């Protein structure tokens, strides 16, 4: 097994995420460009030009290259599970100087910069298991401006589903231009406090424009998109029709006494890239 | 209206700017986020190696790289301005800032300071880091890099027609942002 080669693959994965946006996001931004006018249109225009330039010049599209976040699905028959964490962490360190990435991990108390994008619990990796012998890695570098607009509501179950919707809409109106709209909003409903937030974050992995498989939840997503866009906050909070590109909801069963709602916010730079590592060490960045 | 401004600008020109105007600035700008604001408010005005009053203040934590030609900007879009709300009024007063570049808008305290000290808050497209980097002609210097690290240090850039910047809060008490 050529571990150095796999590290190269992970660096390529991070580079792809930082410099190229997925097609679904670009399509949604182009649609926004069509329907916007005035100042709002100038913002989407700058965003589209920036995306194009970043891809061509292979530079990170945003200076906030994020907290390095990965979702990993391990095939239970993959033979090198014990090496994965080390490989990802080393790749992040190397990527920091090679791509380059902004050194974005600081001590929680002193603010001292760790200088290599790693540290206590970082890179932040979510591990899941699947059948088979492949490993699937999604790189999801997460910026601070949008993360700062995350919210957890431990609502009273009596407020019902209408109360959940009002909470999400109110919080996104309060967020205004801060999370770099047009954003993608991930909402986790149910579970406990941590699960609601986790589901919200994980729902952001779904491509923009994809509706939930459950019709009722899909209808709720559409309603929230409309209500938040009707607020008129617009691109960068400067006014306009497009405040969100999408809203994604995921749900879990909850305790009868709790109605947790976790909101995870992603800026327009909805950076995602995927890779597969096969059991023999061959890899593909998609 | 669209304006091409050479820095530094006098207050007469600042007063002409209104919410919704588009501005491009040419000259020197310096970056300052939370930590640089903090340090600069503690330090004596004369102890700095640069003169903020002749520059625009840019809320930005750039991604930089050091080459054999010195520091180069890789990506340098704006950071969220509302974090600086807690000290921006004092900062404007102390350093005579009259153009702020950021994103997302600022609060009531800053709004009042913009009026009192004739200053404008302009918005640059958040996340448009590569576009912004290409408007930087030269990196003139950096302060507190070792103590604060790359994003929080104060970087001094020479820029050419940096923009389009949208005047989002003007010196007449107007704001483009939806009020709560």
């Amino acid at each position: 097994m050529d571990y150095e080669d796999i590290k190269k693959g992970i660096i390529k994965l991070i580079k792809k995420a930082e410099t190229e946006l997925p097609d679904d996001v670009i399509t949604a931004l182009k649609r926004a460009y069509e329907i916007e006018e005035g100042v709002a249109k100038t913002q989407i225009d700058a965003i589209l030009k920036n995306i194009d330039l970043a891809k061509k010049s292979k530079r990170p599209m945003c200076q906030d290259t994020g907290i390095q976040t990965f979702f990993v699905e391990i095939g239970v028959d993959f033979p090198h599970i014990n090496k994965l964490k080390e490989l990802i962490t080393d790749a992040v360190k190397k990527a920091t100087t090679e791509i380059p990435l902004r050194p974005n991990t600081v001590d929680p108390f002193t603010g001292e910069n760790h200088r290599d994008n790693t540290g206590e619990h970082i890179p932040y990796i979510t591990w899941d298991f699947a059948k088979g012998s492949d490993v699937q890695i999604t790189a999801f570098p997460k910026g601070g401006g949008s993360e700062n607009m995350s919210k957890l509501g431990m609502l009273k179950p009596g407020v019902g589903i209408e109360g959940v919707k009002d909470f999400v809409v109110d919080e996104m109106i309060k967020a205004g231009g801060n999370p770099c709209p047009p954003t993608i909003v991930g909402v986790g409903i149910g579970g406990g406090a941590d699960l609601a937030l986790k589901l919200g974050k994980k729902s952001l992995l779904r491509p923009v424009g994809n509706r939930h498989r459950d019709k009722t939840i899909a209808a709720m997503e559409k309603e929230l998109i409309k209500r938040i866009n009707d607020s008129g906050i617009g691109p960068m909070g400067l006014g306009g029709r497009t405040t969100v590109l999408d809203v994604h909801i995921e749900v879990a069963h909850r305790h009868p006494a709790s109605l947790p709602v976790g909101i995870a916010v992603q800026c327009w730079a909805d950076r995602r890239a995927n890779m597969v590592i096969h059991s023999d060490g061959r890899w593909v960045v998609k | 209206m669209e304006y091409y401004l050479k820095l530094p600008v006098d207050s007469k020109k600042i007063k002409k700017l209104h919410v919704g105007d588009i501005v491009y600035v040419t000259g020197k700008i310096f970056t300052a986020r939370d930590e640089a604001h903090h340090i600069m408010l503690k330090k004596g005005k004369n102890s700095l190696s640069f003169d903020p009053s002749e520059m625009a203040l840019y809320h930005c934590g750039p991604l930089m790289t050091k080459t054999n030609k010195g520091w180069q900007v890789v990506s340098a879009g704006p950071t969220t301005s509302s974090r600086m709300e807690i000290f921006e009024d004092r900062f404007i007063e102390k350093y005579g800032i009259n153009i702020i570049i950021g994103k997302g808008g600022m609060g009531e305290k800053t709004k009042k300071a913009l009026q009192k000290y004739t200053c404008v808050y302009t918005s640059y497209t958040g996340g448009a880091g590569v576009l912004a980097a290409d408007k930087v002609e030269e990196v003139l210097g950096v302060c507190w890099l070792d103590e604060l690290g790359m994003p929080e240090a104060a970087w001094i850039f020479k820029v050419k027609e940096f923009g389009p910047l949208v005047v989002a809060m003007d010196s007449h008490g107007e704001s483009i942002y939806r009020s709560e």
Side-chain angles (χ1 to χ4, degrees), chain B:
Chain B
M1 292 285 283
E2 215 173 77
Y3 296 92
Y4 288 81
L5 300 176
K6 268 218 161 102
L7 302 173
V9 285
D10 57 27
S11 36
K12 227 171 96 185
K13 280 197 180 128
I14 298 293
K15 278 187 182 151
K16 275 192 189 162
L17 302 175
H18 291 272
V19 159
D21 286 343
I22 302 287
V23 175
Y24 295 83
V25 297
T26 296
K28 292 182 201 168
I29 67 176
F30 72 102
T31 71
R33 299 174 26 132
D34 317 58
E35 297 294 333
H37 271 76
H38 203 67
I39 281 196
M40 286 176 71
L41 283 173
K42 270 199 281 185
K43 288 219 180 256
K45 224 167 131 176
N46 299 324
S47 68
L48 298 184
S49 58
F50 64 104
D51 180 6
S53 71
E54 59 174 22
M55 305 180 190
L57 158 63
Y58 187 20
H59 294 153
C60 169
L63 165 54
M64 308 291 294
T65 187
K66 203 170 192 176
T67 68
N68 48 15
K69 283 184 272 175
W71 285 106
Q72 304 276 316
V73 189
V74 180
S75 199
T79 194
T80 310
S81 298
S82 60
R83 294 200 316 274
M84 271 56 81
E85 175 66 12
I86 48 175
F87 23 49
E88 204 70 298
D89 55 343
R90 283 179 288 143
F91 198 82
I92 294 168
E93 180 184 6
K94 180 168 180 180
Y95 287 108
I97 306 294
N98 62 9
I99 297 181
I100 301 170
I101 304 165
K103 69 152 174 106
M106 300 196 72
E108 280 305 313
K109 265 166 59 181
T110 302
K111 199 166 155 186
K112 282 194 186 122
L114 296 179
Q115 266 186 288
K116 190 168 174 190
Y117 303 105
T118 316
C119 177
V120 283
Y121 172 81
T122 65
S123 167
Y124 187 69
T125 311
V130 180
L131 271 189
D134 284 356
K135 305 277 186 180
V136 178
E137 289 191 312
E138 201 184 335
V139 179
L140 297 173
V142 58
C143 294
W144 312 297
L145 178 59
D146 287 341
E147 311 158 59
L148 302 182
M150 187 190 293
E152 297 291 338
W155 294 89
I156 299 155
F157 299 149
K158 189 178 154 210
V159 297
K160 194 178 177 186
E161 294 179 1
F162 190 88
L165 309 172
V166 178
V167 175
M169 295 166 77
D170 62 22
S171 63
H172 310 284
E174 295 300 318
S175 166
I176 206 166
Y177 299 102
R178 182 194 158 114
S179 52
E180 279 302 314

Side-chain angles (χ1 to χ4, degrees), chain A residues 18-262:
Chain A
E18 297 281 359
T19 59
E20 290 179 42
L21 275 190
D23 287 341
D24 52 277
V25 186
I26 295 176
T27 305
L29 285 165
K30 284 185 176 160
R31 204 176 308 131
Y33 181 80
E34 293 304 321
I35 62 166
E36 292 292 359
E37 47 197 16
V39 168
K41 203 179 187 84
T42 66
Q43 300 305 299
I44 306 288
D45 184 49
I47 289 170
L48 288 169
K49 280 185 181 143
N50 186 69
I51 292 169
D52 199 42
L53 200 56
K55 186 178 177 180
K56 279 182 188 148
S57 60
K58 296 187 166 52
R59 281 180 285 170
M61 64 191 82
C62 179
Q63 75 292 337
D64 181 359
T65 48
I67 284 284
Q68 293 302 312
T69 305
F70 299 89
F71 292 87
V72 183
E73 217 177 79
I74 306 169
V76 285
D77 297 321
F78 183 77
H80 307 280
I81 295 174
N82 61 342
K83 291 295 274 186
L84 283 171
K85 190 176 179 186
E86 186 189 323
L87 288 173
I88 294 173
T89 306
D90 282 357
V92 166
K93 288 180 187 171
K94 275 189 100 171
T96 300
T97 50
E98 271 183 31
I99 294 176
L101 305 175
R102 193 175 72 180
N104 259 359
T105 46
V106 303
D107 181 280
F109 298 138
T110 65
E112 189 187 343
N113 201 307
H114 204 266
R115 293 172 197 268
D116 63 4
N117 276 307
T118 72
E120 226 30 75
H121 291 291
I122 309 289
Y124 179 44
I125 309 171
T126 299
W127 305 99
D128 277 314
F129 289 102
K131 279 185 185 165
S133 60
D134 286 347
V135 171
Q136 309 269 354
I137 306 180
T138 302
F140 187 74
K142 189 62 180 62
S146 57
E147 189 70 8
N148 284 346
M149 297 297 117
S150 311
K151 270 279 147 37
L152 173 70
M154 299 303 286
L155 307 187
K156 292 184 171 60
V159 301
I161 207 67
E162 290 307 316
V164 172
K165 290 190 235 173
D166 290 347
F167 173 68
V168 175
V169 173
D170 289 349
E171 287 303 329
M172 285 307 97
I173 290 174
K174 268 192 234 160
N178 290 301
C180 279
T183 56
I184 298 100
V185 179
V187 185
I189 306 170
D194 55 341
L195 181 54
L197 280 167
K198 190 91 199 188
L199 286 172
K201 179 78 60 88
K202 274 189 110 168
S203 77
L204 296 172
L205 300 180
R206 211 199 299 159
V208 172
N210 270 30
R211 294 276 62 81
H212 197 279
R213 60 198 174 279
D214 178 293
K215 273 187 192 160
T216 314
I217 298 172
M220 189 170 156
E221 290 175 344
K222 279 196 200 162
E223 184 188 335
L224 288 176
I225 294 168
K226 184 173 184 315
R227 282 178 63 184
I228 299 171
N229 282 339
D230 283 348
S231 70
I233 288 166
M236 296 302 142
L238 300 172
R241 298 189 174 100
T242 324
T243 306
V244 290
L245 295 175
D246 210 345
V247 176
H248 290 157
I249 300 172
E250 292 295 336
V251 299
H253 278 72
R254 58 176 175 83
H255 187 284
S258 313
L259 178 48
V261 181

